[in-house]
Amino acid sequence: MTIKDTPEAWEIRATETPFVGNKTSVRTDEVVMPDGSVVKRDYQVHPGSVAVLALDDEDRVLLIRQYRHPVRQKLWEIPAGLLDVPGENPLHAAQRELYEEAHVKAEDWRVLTDVYTTPGGCDEAVRIFLARNLSEAEGERFAVEDEETDLEYARVSVDELTRGVLAGELHNNCLVVGVLSLVAARASASGGLDGLRVADAEWPARPFEV
């Protein structure tokens, strides 16, 4: 057996969208089960996201601390953002987010991993990039608003972040997945970090133009 996720679509008898928000919506589908019964499934429809694990020459990861209202916590995170434009190249979106949130640019980009954040209740797909060879970006800083006016920044070693993840002290999905994927890639016999996928690798969950 090959352990690999595969596309599949069960029959939908009816669908409606009872809520439409600024960036996401909620959809209700009537889905035919294997035994022929029909059940309703509610889920959030999401445009998709990108995140950037930016690693400096001292093996530190660039972090942002931001208030997240749904969980009532300030979370340490890696730069991330929505795929605002349908079909947008995720690499371009990641480069934009790194610039806007941290005023940093990177010369070396790889795909670290792709994930569905909560596939039982949301169709959000996230591509997490590894960015290296960092430097300060040129030009003016991006104007922030709302929660972003209270951002904090830090650069923390991979070892310390790994400890924090396993100790249950860090909870942001992209940070946790990104750090542990980095550690796994380094230990892999498949070429280490240089064996990671190229930055414009195909992404079936969110197809794009190269």
Side-chain angles (χ1 to χ4, degrees):
M1 178 185 296
T2 301
I3 305 300
K4 180 180 179 180
D5 297 335
T6 56
E8 184 167 338
W10 291 3
E11 180 185 353
I12 298 173
R13 292 280 174 86
T15 186
E16 60 179 334
T17 305
F19 171 79
V20 177
N22 186 32
K23 298 292 185 180
T24 66
S25 60
V26 173
R27 181 176 297 162
T28 300
D29 290 341
E30 294 184 8
V31 186
V32 180
M33 296 290 106
D35 64 359
S37 62
V38 179
V39 301
K40 288 187 176 182
R41 291 290 178 259
D42 304 317
Y43 58 99
Q44 182 184 21
V45 178
H46 195 285
S49 307
V50 292
V52 185
L53 194 145
L55 189 66
D56 70 14
D57 293 338
E58 298 179 39
D59 206 41
R60 300 175 304 174
V61 176
L62 191 157
L63 299 183
I64 296 169
R65 189 173 185 233
Q66 183 169 350
Y67 175 66
R68 294 301 188 183
H69 186 70
V71 296
R72 308 300 198 272
Q73 290 195 28
K74 274 191 170 183
L75 300 181
W76 285 106
E77 307 178 351
I78 56 177
L82 298 176
L83 289 168
D84 294 312
V85 181
E88 182 179 17
N89 187 313
L91 174 60
H92 299 164
Q95 291 170 332
R96 180 187 68 237
E97 293 299 331
L98 186 60
Y99 167 76
E100 291 182 355
E101 294 195 355
H103 203 66
V104 167
K105 63 180 181 179
E107 299 301 323
D108 186 276
W109 290 82
R110 300 277 179 149
V111 174
L112 192 51
T113 193
D114 299 324
V115 295
Y116 291 113
T117 55
T118 49
C122 179
D123 71 351
E124 181 184 14
V126 181
R127 169 157 282 188
I128 304 177
F129 289 90
L130 172 66
R132 294 179 290 177
N133 297 341
L134 309 182
S135 61
E136 189 78 7
E138 300 174 355
E140 295 183 4
R141 285 187 171 273
F142 183 75
V144 297
E145 59 184 12
D146 301 328
E147 290 92 343
E148 294 178 346
T149 61
D150 191 45
L151 294 182
E152 300 174 50
Y153 300 88
R155 296 195 182 200
V156 181
S157 72
V158 173
D159 286 345
E160 175 60 19
L161 291 177
T162 303
R163 184 207 64 76
V165 167
L166 298 179
E169 298 170 356
L170 300 168
H171 306 91
N172 174 260
N173 184 293
C174 292
L175 172 60
V176 171
V177 173
V179 167
L180 296 185
S181 295
L182 175 68
V183 172
R186 283 176 165 172
S188 171
S190 302
L193 298 186
D194 290 334
L196 291 170
R197 287 172 291 163
V198 296
D200 60 355
E202 181 183 3
W203 191 17
R206 293 294 185 274
F208 63 93
E209 296 291 334
V210 176

mmCIF file of all heavy atoms in Angstrom, residues 56-89:
data_model
loop_
_atom_site.group_PDB
_atom_site.id
_atom_site.type_symbol
_atom_site.label_atom_id
_atom_site.label_comp_id
_atom_site.label_asym_id
_atom_site.label_seq_id
_atom_site.Cartn_x
_atom_site.Cartn_y
_atom_site.Cartn_z
ATOM 1 N N ASP A 56 17.782 32.400 9.443
ATOM 2 C CA ASP A 56 18.953 33.251 9.217
ATOM 3 C C ASP A 56 20.252 32.454 9.315
ATOM 4 O O ASP A 56 20.249 31.239 9.566
ATOM 5 C CB ASP A 56 18.940 34.476 10.144
ATOM 6 C CG ASP A 56 19.191 34.147 11.605
ATOM 7 O OD1 ASP A 56 19.643 33.032 11.924
ATOM 8 O OD2 ASP A 56 18.927 35.035 12.459
ATOM 9 N N ASP A 57 21.374 33.151 9.135
ATOM 10 C CA ASP A 57 22.683 32.485 9.104
ATOM 11 C C ASP A 57 23.107 31.940 10.464
ATOM 12 O O ASP A 57 24.066 31.161 10.542
ATOM 13 C CB ASP A 57 23.747 33.457 8.588
ATOM 14 C CG ASP A 57 23.529 33.830 7.123
ATOM 15 O OD1 ASP A 57 22.855 33.040 6.416
ATOM 16 O OD2 ASP A 57 24.027 34.884 6.687
ATOM 17 N N GLU A 58 22.426 32.344 11.530
ATOM 18 C CA GLU A 58 22.732 31.832 12.864
ATOM 19 C C GLU A 58 21.767 30.730 13.286
ATOM 20 O O GLU A 58 21.667 30.386 14.460
ATOM 21 C CB GLU A 58 22.702 32.980 13.878
ATOM 22 C CG GLU A 58 23.752 34.054 13.604
ATOM 23 C CD GLU A 58 23.675 35.194 14.613
ATOM 24 O OE1 GLU A 58 23.445 34.918 15.808
ATOM 25 O OE2 GLU A 58 23.839 36.355 14.185
ATOM 26 N N ASP A 59 21.070 30.168 12.326
ATOM 27 C CA ASP A 59 20.108 29.089 12.544
ATOM 28 C C ASP A 59 18.974 29.520 13.462
ATOM 29 O O ASP A 59 18.482 28.747 14.284
ATOM 30 C CB ASP A 59 20.802 27.841 13.114
ATOM 31 C CG ASP A 59 20.049 26.562 12.776
ATOM 32 O OD1 ASP A 59 19.575 26.446 11.630
ATOM 33 O OD2 ASP A 59 19.920 25.679 13.649
ATOM 34 N N ARG A 60 18.526 30.754 13.282
ATOM 35 C CA ARG A 60 17.391 31.279 14.034
ATOM 36 C C ARG A 60 16.227 31.516 13.085
ATOM 37 O O ARG A 60 16.415 31.886 11.929
ATOM 38 C CB ARG A 60 17.761 32.598 14.728
ATOM 39 C CG ARG A 60 18.909 32.491 15.723
ATOM 40 C CD ARG A 60 19.272 33.864 16.268
ATOM 41 N NE ARG A 60 19.603 34.792 15.185
ATOM 42 C CZ ARG A 60 19.847 36.090 15.351
ATOM 43 N NH1 ARG A 60 19.798 36.627 16.570
ATOM 44 N NH2 ARG A 60 20.132 36.858 14.310
ATOM 45 N N VAL A 61 15.026 31.295 13.607
ATOM 46 C CA VAL A 61 13.808 31.487 12.833
ATOM 47 C C VAL A 61 13.193 32.835 13.187
ATOM 48 O O VAL A 61 13.098 33.198 14.365
ATOM 49 C CB VAL A 61 12.795 30.356 13.120
ATOM 50 C CG1 VAL A 61 11.483 30.606 12.385
ATOM 51 C CG2 VAL A 61 13.382 29.009 12.738
ATOM 52 N N LEU A 62 12.767 33.566 12.167
ATOM 53 C CA LEU A 62 12.127 34.864 12.372
ATOM 54 C C LEU A 62 10.688 34.632 12.819
ATOM 55 O O LEU A 62 9.914 33.972 12.134
ATOM 56 C CB LEU A 62 12.169 35.656 11.069
ATOM 57 C CG LEU A 62 11.799 37.132 11.104
ATOM 58 C CD1 LEU A 62 12.426 37.848 9.914
ATOM 59 C CD2 LEU A 62 10.289 37.326 11.067
ATOM 60 N N LEU A 63 10.339 35.200 13.990
ATOM 61 C CA LEU A 63 9.013 35.015 14.566
ATOM 62 C C LEU A 63 8.287 36.338 14.740
ATOM 63 O O LEU A 63 8.911 37.391 14.910
ATOM 64 C CB LEU A 63 9.107 34.341 15.936
ATOM 65 C CG LEU A 63 9.730 32.952 16.014
ATOM 66 C CD1 LEU A 63 9.663 32.448 17.447
ATOM 67 C CD2 LEU A 63 9.040 31.995 15.072
ATOM 68 N N ILE A 64 6.963 36.240 14.726
ATOM 69 C CA ILE A 64 6.087 37.375 14.994
ATOM 70 C C ILE A 64 5.127 36.962 16.101
ATOM 71 O O ILE A 64 4.589 35.847 16.078
ATOM 72 C CB ILE A 64 5.302 37.767 13.728
ATOM 73 C CG1 ILE A 64 6.256 38.242 12.635
ATOM 74 C CG2 ILE A 64 4.268 38.843 14.033
ATOM 75 C CD1 ILE A 64 5.599 38.399 11.284
ATOM 76 N N ARG A 65 4.897 37.837 17.052
ATOM 77 C CA ARG A 65 3.931 37.551 18.118
ATOM 78 C C ARG A 65 2.702 38.419 17.886
ATOM 79 O O ARG A 65 2.796 39.643 17.805
ATOM 80 C CB ARG A 65 4.544 37.839 19.489
ATOM 81 C CG ARG A 65 3.684 37.365 20.661
ATOM 82 C CD ARG A 65 4.449 37.527 21.963
ATOM 83 N NE ARG A 65 3.707 36.985 23.102
ATOM 84 C CZ ARG A 65 3.442 37.664 24.204
ATOM 85 N NH1 ARG A 65 3.847 38.918 24.343
ATOM 86 N NH2 ARG A 65 2.780 37.093 25.187
ATOM 87 N N GLN A 66 1.546 37.776 17.776
ATOM 88 C CA GLN A 66 0.336 38.489 17.386
ATOM 89 C C GLN A 66 -0.865 38.005 18.189
ATOM 90 O O GLN A 66 -0.983 36.815 18.507
ATOM 91 C CB GLN A 66 0.070 38.264 15.890
ATOM 92 C CG GLN A 66 -1.133 39.023 15.355
ATOM 93 C CD GLN A 66 -1.208 38.982 13.844
ATOM 94 O OE1 GLN A 66 -0.284 38.552 13.179
ATOM 95 N NE2 GLN A 66 -2.309 39.430 13.286
ATOM 96 N N TYR A 67 -1.773 38.919 18.512
ATOM 97 C CA TYR A 67 -2.998 38.565 19.223
ATOM 98 C C TYR A 67 -3.953 37.874 18.270
ATOM 99 O O TYR A 67 -4.226 38.343 17.175
ATOM 100 C CB TYR A 67 -3.671 39.812 19.801
ATOM 101 C CG TYR A 67 -5.002 39.534 20.452
ATOM 102 C CD1 TYR A 67 -5.075 38.764 21.615
ATOM 103 C CD2 TYR A 67 -6.188 40.028 19.899
ATOM 104 C CE1 TYR A 67 -6.303 38.503 22.212
ATOM 105 C CE2 TYR A 67 -7.415 39.783 20.495
ATOM 106 C CZ TYR A 67 -7.470 39.012 21.652
ATOM 107 O OH TYR A 67 -8.676 38.746 22.241
ATOM 108 N N ARG A 68 -4.492 36.718 18.723
ATOM 109 C CA ARG A 68 -5.467 35.963 17.941
ATOM 110 C C ARG A 68 -6.749 35.867 18.747
ATOM 111 O O ARG A 68 -6.828 35.111 19.719
ATOM 112 C CB ARG A 68 -4.912 34.576 17.589
ATOM 113 C CG ARG A 68 -3.719 34.618 16.646
ATOM 114 C CD ARG A 68 -4.063 35.292 15.336
ATOM 115 N NE ARG A 68 -2.992 35.181 14.341
ATOM 116 C CZ ARG A 68 -3.034 35.732 13.143
ATOM 117 N NH1 ARG A 68 -4.094 36.452 12.782
ATOM 118 N NH2 ARG A 68 -2.029 35.587 12.297
ATOM 119 N N HIS A 69 -7.746 36.614 18.334
ATOM 120 C CA HIS A 69 -8.960 36.745 19.139
ATOM 121 C C HIS A 69 -9.722 35.436 19.348
ATOM 122 O O HIS A 69 -10.206 35.186 20.458
ATOM 123 C CB HIS A 69 -9.877 37.797 18.529
ATOM 124 C CG HIS A 69 -11.084 38.082 19.370
ATOM 125 N ND1 HIS A 69 -11.007 38.741 20.577
ATOM 126 C CD2 HIS A 69 -12.390 37.757 19.189
ATOM 127 C CE1 HIS A 69 -12.214 38.826 21.107
ATOM 128 N NE2 HIS A 69 -13.075 38.231 20.292
ATOM 129 N N PRO A 70 -9.892 34.580 18.346
ATOM 130 C CA PRO A 70 -10.674 33.361 18.578
ATOM 131 C C PRO A 70 -10.148 32.495 19.717
ATOM 132 O O PRO A 70 -10.930 31.832 20.401
ATOM 133 C CB PRO A 70 -10.580 32.624 17.237
ATOM 134 C CG PRO A 70 -10.425 33.721 16.238
ATOM 135 C CD PRO A 70 -9.533 34.719 16.921
ATOM 136 N N VAL A 71 -8.819 32.478 19.932
ATOM 137 C CA VAL A 71 -8.261 31.650 21.015
ATOM 138 C C VAL A 71 -7.848 32.483 22.220
ATOM 139 O O VAL A 71 -7.350 31.944 23.213
ATOM 140 C CB VAL A 71 -7.063 30.812 20.514
ATOM 141 C CG1 VAL A 71 -7.522 29.829 19.471
ATOM 142 C CG2 VAL A 71 -5.943 31.695 19.963
ATOM 143 N N ARG A 72 -8.049 33.807 22.135
ATOM 144 C CA ARG A 72 -7.747 34.714 23.250
ATOM 145 C C ARG A 72 -6.310 34.551 23.739
ATOM 146 O O ARG A 72 -6.029 34.474 24.924
ATOM 147 C CB ARG A 72 -8.702 34.505 24.429
ATOM 148 C CG ARG A 72 -10.186 34.534 24.097
ATOM 149 C CD ARG A 72 -10.637 35.860 23.497
ATOM 150 N NE ARG A 72 -12.086 36.003 23.590
ATOM 151 C CZ ARG A 72 -12.945 35.551 22.659
ATOM 152 N NH1 ARG A 72 -12.483 34.923 21.582
ATOM 153 N NH2 ARG A 72 -14.240 35.720 22.806
ATOM 154 N N GLN A 73 -5.370 34.523 22.794
ATOM 155 C CA GLN A 73 -3.963 34.400 23.145
ATOM 156 C C GLN A 73 -3.110 35.224 22.199
ATOM 157 O O GLN A 73 -3.508 35.499 21.059
ATOM 158 C CB GLN A 73 -3.501 32.940 23.074
ATOM 159 C CG GLN A 73 -4.062 32.050 24.164
ATOM 160 C CD GLN A 73 -3.291 30.745 24.266
ATOM 161 O OE1 GLN A 73 -2.110 30.671 23.950
ATOM 162 N NE2 GLN A 73 -3.971 29.701 24.723
ATOM 163 N N LYS A 74 -1.946 35.611 22.674
ATOM 164 C CA LYS A 74 -0.903 36.129 21.800
ATOM 165 C C LYS A 74 -0.020 34.943 21.423
ATOM 166 O O LYS A 74 0.557 34.291 22.294
ATOM 167 C CB LYS A 74 -0.081 37.210 22.496
ATOM 168 C CG LYS A 74 -0.658 38.597 22.399
ATOM 169 C CD LYS A 74 0.346 39.633 22.867
ATOM 170 C CE LYS A 74 -0.122 41.050 22.551
ATOM 171 N NZ LYS A 74 0.885 42.060 22.951
ATOM 172 N N LEU A 75 0.054 34.668 20.147
ATOM 173 C CA LEU A 75 0.787 33.504 19.668
ATOM 174 C C LEU A 75 2.061 33.916 18.940
ATOM 175 O O LEU A 75 2.065 34.886 18.179
ATOM 176 C CB LEU A 75 -0.076 32.689 18.708
ATOM 177 C CG LEU A 75 -1.390 32.131 19.237
ATOM 178 C CD1 LEU A 75 -2.085 31.343 18.136
ATOM 179 C CD2 LEU A 75 -1.181 31.260 20.456
ATOM 180 N N TRP A 76 3.119 33.141 19.166
ATOM 181 C CA TRP A 76 4.313 33.283 18.349
ATOM 182 C C TRP A 76 4.068 32.529 17.043
ATOM 183 O O TRP A 76 3.652 31.370 17.048
ATOM 184 C CB TRP A 76 5.540 32.722 19.067
ATOM 185 C CG TRP A 76 6.036 33.621 20.155
ATOM 186 C CD1 TRP A 76 5.918 33.444 21.502
ATOM 187 C CD2 TRP A 76 6.754 34.852 19.983
ATOM 188 N NE1 TRP A 76 6.500 34.486 22.186
ATOM 189 C CE2 TRP A 76 7.025 35.369 21.275
ATOM 190 C CE3 TRP A 76 7.189 35.577 18.869
ATOM 191 C CZ2 TRP A 76 7.717 36.573 21.479
ATOM 192 C CZ3 TRP A 76 7.872 36.772 19.073
ATOM 193 C CH2 TRP A 76 8.130 37.259 20.358
ATOM 194 N N GLU A 77 4.311 33.201 15.921
ATOM 195 C CA GLU A 77 4.005 32.652 14.610
ATOM 196 C C GLU A 77 5.140 32.940 13.640
ATOM 197 O O GLU A 77 6.026 33.755 13.919
ATOM 198 C CB GLU A 77 2.713 33.281 14.074
ATOM 199 C CG GLU A 77 1.533 33.185 15.028
ATOM 200 C CD GLU A 77 0.285 33.859 14.496
ATOM 201 O OE1 GLU A 77 0.390 34.558 13.462
ATOM 202 O OE2 GLU A 77 -0.782 33.687 15.100
ATOM 203 N N ILE A 78 5.091 32.281 12.486
ATOM 204 C CA ILE A 78 5.956 32.662 11.378
ATOM 205 C C ILE A 78 5.128 33.525 10.427
ATOM 206 O O ILE A 78 3.904 33.455 10.435
ATOM 207 C CB ILE A 78 6.544 31.432 10.652
ATOM 208 C CG1 ILE A 78 5.440 30.489 10.162
ATOM 209 C CG2 ILE A 78 7.507 30.689 11.575
ATOM 210 C CD1 ILE A 78 5.955 29.287 9.375
ATOM 211 N N PRO A 79 5.763 34.380 9.627
ATOM 212 C CA PRO A 79 5.002 35.233 8.702
ATOM 213 C C PRO A 79 4.086 34.397 7.814
ATOM 214 O O PRO A 79 4.475 33.340 7.303
ATOM 215 C CB PRO A 79 6.095 35.918 7.882
ATOM 216 C CG PRO A 79 7.280 35.947 8.804
ATOM 217 C CD PRO A 79 7.209 34.658 9.565
ATOM 218 N N ALA A 80 2.860 34.869 7.638
ATOM 219 C CA ALA A 80 1.880 34.116 6.860
ATOM 220 C C ALA A 80 0.800 35.064 6.365
ATOM 221 O O ALA A 80 0.629 36.168 6.885
ATOM 222 C CB ALA A 80 1.264 33.005 7.710
ATOM 223 N N GLY A 81 0.062 34.609 5.365
ATOM 224 C CA GLY A 81 -1.024 35.436 4.859
ATOM 225 C C GLY A 81 -1.883 34.686 3.867
ATOM 226 O O GLY A 81 -1.548 33.573 3.429
ATOM 227 N N LEU A 82 -3.003 35.294 3.512
ATOM 228 C CA LEU A 82 -3.958 34.679 2.601
ATOM 229 C C LEU A 82 -3.499 34.759 1.148
ATOM 230 O O LEU A 82 -2.747 35.656 0.758
ATOM 231 C CB LEU A 82 -5.311 35.387 2.716
ATOM 232 C CG LEU A 82 -6.021 35.337 4.061
ATOM 233 C CD1 LEU A 82 -7.297 36.178 3.982
ATOM 234 C CD2 LEU A 82 -6.356 33.908 4.446
ATOM 235 N N LEU A 83 -3.981 33.818 0.346
ATOM 236 C CA LEU A 83 -3.843 33.904 -1.100
ATOM 237 C C LEU A 83 -5.016 34.748 -1.594
ATOM 238 O O LEU A 83 -6.083 34.233 -1.921
ATOM 239 C CB LEU A 83 -3.863 32.503 -1.717
ATOM 240 C CG LEU A 83 -2.621 31.657 -1.446
ATOM 241 C CD1 LEU A 83 -2.865 30.204 -1.839
ATOM 242 C CD2 LEU A 83 -1.425 32.208 -2.213
ATOM 243 N N ASP A 84 -4.813 36.042 -1.604
ATOM 244 C CA ASP A 84 -5.895 36.987 -1.882
ATOM 245 C C ASP A 84 -6.384 36.952 -3.320
ATOM 246 O O ASP A 84 -7.539 37.268 -3.605
ATOM 247 C CB ASP A 84 -5.442 38.405 -1.540
ATOM 248 C CG ASP A 84 -5.207 38.599 -0.052
ATOM 249 O OD1 ASP A 84 -6.078 38.207 0.730
ATOM 250 O OD2 ASP A 84 -4.144 39.121 0.303
ATOM 251 N N VAL A 85 -5.510 36.589 -4.243
ATOM 252 C CA VAL A 85 -5.853 36.618 -5.664
ATOM 253 C C VAL A 85 -6.010 35.184 -6.171
ATOM 254 O O VAL A 85 -5.071 34.387 -6.055
ATOM 255 C CB VAL A 85 -4.762 37.342 -6.476
ATOM 256 C CG1 VAL A 85 -5.146 37.378 -7.956
ATOM 257 C CG2 VAL A 85 -4.518 38.738 -5.935
ATOM 258 N N PRO A 86 -7.163 34.805 -6.706
ATOM 259 C CA PRO A 86 -7.341 33.446 -7.226
ATOM 260 C C PRO A 86 -6.270 33.099 -8.254
ATOM 261 O O PRO A 86 -5.995 33.869 -9.173
ATOM 262 C CB PRO A 86 -8.734 33.500 -7.873
ATOM 263 C CG PRO A 86 -9.447 34.596 -7.138
ATOM 264 C CD PRO A 86 -8.389 35.619 -6.832
ATOM 265 N N GLY A 87 -5.642 31.933 -8.098
ATOM 266 C CA GLY A 87 -4.609 31.502 -9.017
ATOM 267 C C GLY A 87 -3.257 32.143 -8.793
ATOM 268 O O GLY A 87 -2.318 31.915 -9.565
ATOM 269 N N GLU A 88 -3.124 32.941 -7.723
ATOM 270 C CA GLU A 88 -1.858 33.623 -7.451
ATOM 271 C C GLU A 88 -0.741 32.620 -7.186
ATOM 272 O O GLU A 88 -0.940 31.606 -6.529
ATOM 273 C CB GLU A 88 -2.019 34.543 -6.238
ATOM 274 C CG GLU A 88 -0.764 35.333 -5.897
ATOM 275 C CD GLU A 88 -0.957 36.256 -4.707
ATOM 276 O OE1 GLU A 88 -1.938 36.058 -3.952
ATOM 277 O OE2 GLU A 88 -0.133 37.176 -4.538
ATOM 278 N N ASN A 89 0.435 32.915 -7.715
ATOM 279 C CA ASN A 89 1.600 32.080 -7.455
ATOM 280 C C ASN A 89 1.923 32.151 -5.962
ATOM 281 O O ASN A 89 2.169 33.231 -5.430
ATOM 282 C CB ASN A 89 2.792 32.581 -8.281
ATOM 283 C CG ASN A 89 3.994 31.666 -8.201
ATOM 284 O OD1 ASN A 89 4.393 31.240 -7.122
ATOM 285 N ND2 ASN A 89 4.573 31.360 -9.344
#
